[in-house]
Amino acid sequence: QVQVLESGGGLVRAGESLRLSCKITSWTNLRLAMGWFRQTPGKGREGVSCMNWSGSIIQYDDSVKGRFTISRDNGENTIYLQMNDLKPEDTAMYYCATAYPQEGCPYSGGSDWDRGTQVTVSP
């Protein structure tokens, strides 16, 4: 089971940027598709973006297309989410986990959920 550690969240104003990082700290197989998810109070986790190991398949939720960019450094076992032009509706706890690299980026169950990193965007 893959274990991850997210970082990079914070409090920003609308229009500003943040870069989230997800370090894979324990693994049995590194060639996994990974994704970013987010959750707000009272709602379930939703897939934001995901990509396969090689980067040949990348998916984004419609709400973040053109603003967010997912990437990974396989040498550093790290996945990134560059978030530009942030909006108040992006406010959520962000998590990284294994995902199926397809529309919706469904969680694939290959990693434990970490505590996440909070992103708060003020108007």
Side-chain angles (χ1 to χ4, degrees):
Q1 197 79 342
V2 171
Q3 294 185 347
V4 301
L5 179 64
E6 305 97 342
S7 62
L11 171 62
V12 297
R13 295 179 178 179
E16 294 183 340
S17 300
L18 282 173
R19 188 175 82 154
L20 306 184
S21 297
C22 169
K23 179 76 173 180
I24 299 176
T25 59
S26 176
W27 62 88
T28 55
N29 174 15
L30 275 175
R31 292 181 177 257
L32 294 171
M34 298 293 294
W36 286 97
F37 303 79
R38 65 187 180 187
Q39 185 174 25
T40 54
K43 294 183 65 176
R45 280 192 189 99
E46 62 175 3
V48 175
S49 180
C50 53
M51 67 186 300
N52 64 350
W53 185 82
S54 68
S56 62
I57 302 174
I58 294 178
Q59 298 283 343
Y60 294 101
D61 184 77
D62 286 344
S63 64
V64 306
K65 280 180 181 176
R67 300 188 298 121
F68 290 11
T69 303
I70 190 171
S71 62
R72 65 193 296 169
D73 183 336
N74 291 328
E76 295 294 325
N77 304 327
T78 302
I79 297 88
Y80 302 99
L81 187 67
Q82 177 67 43
M83 306 187 295
N84 298 330
D85 189 23
L86 281 160
K87 302 177 179 182
E89 51 264 42
D90 295 318
T91 295
M93 186 69 77
Y94 283 73
Y95 303 86
C96 121
T98 58
Y100 292 112
Q102 61 191 58
E103 185 177 356
C105 300
Y107 172 55
S108 63
S111 62
D112 296 328
W113 292 105
D114 188 48
R115 56 187 173 182
T117 186
Q118 177 68 39
V119 172
T120 303
V121 185
S122 63

